[in-house]
Amino acid sequence: MSMSFKALIVEDNREMACSLNMLLRTEDFEADIVTSGLEAQKALSSNPPDIILLDLGLPDMDGMKLLTNLRMWSSIPVVVVSGRLNVEQKVAALDAGADDYITKPFSPDELSARIRVAIRHKAPDMLVSHKYSVGDLEINYELFRVSVGGSDVGLTQSEFKIVALLGKNAGHVLTYDYLINQLWGPSAMGDNQILRVNMANIRRKIEKKPSSPRYIFTEVGVGYRMATEDTLAVENPK
Ligand code: CA
């Protein structure tokens, strides 16, 4: 069975593009490299890949513009790979439809974990699953129940909804505004305090050490990310 995925690397820095390419090959990806927005658009329409690694600083086009255009017609997973991203740029990339972002320098393990998550997230079997589990944590969407090591942690309705959303999007950052809008509607947006309080309670219930969480990570200034089995191994080295 051939499970080779095809990646498109959009990166004008040759050295960076080559090292990404080498990394992808060790992970059994076939990869094409393009070095401009125009080339990327051509490649995307003629031969769509399974995943795109996108640099935002392209010589002829803002990578964000490319992403926004792409999202009008395609849901191909996109991981933004960039040297420096401030909080606003991270939020903007996610809002524009990026599945994830990763900043240089990153470890090969980290990148391949992020890629696997981004691809798997678009696979249909995850959408119909009634459970999500990672490590000892299990979210049961039918019973509205979250357990750790088999015992119910007793979340409130809002707490459950937050964990459920993060679980459905495991491995992806959900922005503060997105979560607040989903839970309390647009009028509450910008008021991060209510979310922070809920998250503190969630962590007290699900994490062994709430101050260094294993299951739900804070992306400072951006949002929260639920761990996956892949990232659990990478982000919690023993
Ligand atoms: Ca660049």
Side-chain angles (χ1 to χ4, degrees):
M1 149 178 99
S2 168
M3 278 297 287
S4 187
F5 287 107
K6 204 168 54 173
L8 181 68
I9 300 169
V10 187
E11 169 68 81
D12 61 318
N13 178 324
R14 303 247 169 210
E15 209 176 311
M16 187 64 204
C18 287
S19 68
L20 282 173
N21 189 17
M22 257 162 51
L23 178 65
L24 287 169
R25 278 172 199 282
T26 65
E27 295 289 325
D28 268 345
F29 277 87
E30 292 168 31
D32 287 329
I33 299 174
V34 293
T35 56
S36 72
L38 200 64
E39 276 180 73
Q41 284 179 332
K42 272 188 207 151
L44 286 170
S45 51
S46 63
N47 190 13
D50 298 303
I51 188 161
I52 300 165
L53 301 187
L54 177 65
D55 174 31
L56 292 182
L58 298 170
D60 60 337
M61 189 186 289
D62 182 355
M64 287 291 285
K65 177 131 195 289
L66 187 73
L67 178 59
T68 310
N69 290 345
L70 176 74
R71 280 294 173 257
M72 289 179 192
W73 59 275
S74 166
S75 61
I76 297 172
V78 174
V79 175
V80 168
V81 181
S82 202
R84 274 172 299 144
L85 283 178
N86 61 36
V87 162
E88 288 75 22
Q89 289 169 316
K90 288 174 180 175
V91 172
L94 295 172
D95 281 348
D99 292 83
D100 204 352
Y101 55 80
I102 188 163
T103 49
K104 304 161 193 169
F106 46 80
S107 74
D109 283 352
E110 199 181 353
L111 181 68
S112 62
R114 297 289 182 83
I115 290 174
R116 285 196 297 271
V117 166
I119 288 179
R120 202 170 303 154
H121 183 65
K122 298 276 156 94
D125 61 330
M126 251 186 94
L127 302 176
V128 297
S129 171
H130 301 303
K131 279 182 187 173
Y132 176 75
S133 63
V134 55
D136 288 334
L137 181 82
E138 187 182 88
I139 307 168
N140 187 316
Y141 292 103
E142 281 180 324
L143 303 176
F144 302 101
R145 181 174 177 271
V146 172
S147 59
V148 174
S151 32
D152 193 338
V153 297
L155 298 183
T156 66
Q157 243 182 59
S158 325
E159 290 162 9
F160 177 80
K161 204 163 168 194
I162 294 168
V163 174
L165 284 167
L166 289 165
K168 289 260 187 219
N169 296 278
H172 295 260
V173 183
L174 296 185
T175 63
Y176 299 131
D177 273 352
Y178 176 83
L179 286 166
I180 290 167
N181 189 25
Q182 291 294 312
L183 266 98
W184 299 287
S187 62
M189 271 161 74
D191 176 14
N192 292 359
Q193 184 57 18
I194 182 167
L195 184 59
R196 231 176 277 135
V197 169
N198 274 270
M199 186 53 70
N201 291 333
I202 291 167
R203 283 185 170 141
R204 232 183 343 261
K205 294 174 183 177
I206 69 168
E207 303 279 3
K208 248 186 207 134
K209 275 177 66 187
S211 55
S212 50
R214 263 189 104 209
Y215 295 121
I216 300 176
F217 301 99
T218 300
E219 296 284 328
V220 178
V222 181
Y224 299 108
R225 180 202 298 267
M226 172 74 75
T228 65
E229 291 297 342
D230 287 330
T231 59
L232 203 60
V234 176
E235 290 174 348
N236 297 275
K238 287 278 139 61

